[in-house]
Amino acid sequence: GVEGVVSEKRQGDASGRLRRRYKGLSADDYRKSVERTITSGVPGAAYSDLKTSDAHDEIEWSAKFASPRFAQIPQAQLMIFRAGVLRMVDLPRFSEKSRKLPVVMDADALLETATVKIPEGFKVDELPDSFKLDSPYGRVEAAWKHEGNQVTFTRTLALNSLTVPAAEYPALKKF
């Protein structure tokens, strides 16, 4: 199994959807929506210590989670898990092969930090390389850090508000 802490922080215009979910749902429905967010990325997860702070221009939630099924253990002393805990369901999907009309993109931003406690008897053998991508459409960064018995994954995504001509759609899909 695995346990950790996950948080989602939205700022500025990008905080609207998360704030509407926080303020617009009953407390029970809000907790269920957070649970769905966590379990969509961490199969079989149970969560605790849900905390949400809503400041003027920023909203953030965090929760502890634990799951006996988060990682794959294909052999003794080898554990493989997906770094990103949150499924970014609010982001646009570019699944069409081509476009005839431009794509109108709203600004959006996401900062995800997931700290995963490595179970006793396991050690970190390798981590993916950090990366950063800047483009006219936005910016993506991801980094992994190992300290003690924890691995922390940080992902930042910032989408620019713009209208992308249909001719640039293949480049947008690659982003």
Side-chain angles (χ1 to χ4, degrees), residues 93-101 103 169-170 172-173:
R93 304 280 185 238
F94 304 112
S95 56
E96 300 103 355
K97 289 184 180 181
S98 63
R99 298 264 315 186
K100 293 182 181 180
L101 299 173
V103 176
Y169 183 70
L172 177 62
K173 279 182 72 164

Side-chain angles (χ1 to χ4, degrees), residues 15-148:
S15 65
R17 283 188 293 271
L18 184 55
R19 185 170 284 112
R20 282 190 296 278
R21 184 173 67 167
Y22 176 58
K23 292 189 173 198
L25 296 175
S26 68
D28 190 49
D29 286 343
Y30 174 69
R31 283 190 297 275
K32 287 177 184 176
S33 76
V34 168
E35 182 178 25
R36 280 190 304 273
T37 298
I38 293 172
T39 58
S40 71
V42 183
Y47 77 94
S48 62
D49 295 333
L50 172 61
K51 296 176 183 152
T52 303
S53 68
D54 186 6
H56 173 68
D57 194 36
E58 176 178 287
I59 184 167
E60 179 176 14
W61 67 265
S62 65
K64 294 179 181 178
F65 69 89
S67 173
R69 301 188 320 244
F70 178 65
Q72 298 173 6
I73 302 178
Q75 63 187 34
Q77 303 299 308
L78 177 62
M79 179 172 63
I80 302 169
F81 60 89
R82 190 169 54 88
V85 173
L86 296 177
R87 298 252 188 223
M88 297 188 283
V89 295
D90 292 345
L91 296 177
R93 304 280 185 238
F94 304 112
S95 56
E96 300 103 355
K97 289 184 180 181
S98 63
R99 298 264 315 186
K100 293 182 181 180
L101 299 173
V103 176
V104 178
M105 291 180 42
D106 295 326
D108 202 353
L110 172 74
L111 170 63
E112 176 187 10
T113 302
T115 302
V116 178
K117 182 179 172 185
I118 305 300
E120 186 143 335
F122 287 84
K123 66 177 185 160
V124 175
D125 184 47
E126 62 182 89
L127 294 172
D129 292 332
S130 298
F131 69 88
K132 181 177 179 179
L133 172 66
D134 286 301
S135 87
Y137 314 113
R139 179 176 46 87
V140 179
E141 291 182 53
W144 294 260
K145 183 178 176 182
H146 171 230
E147 280 187 7

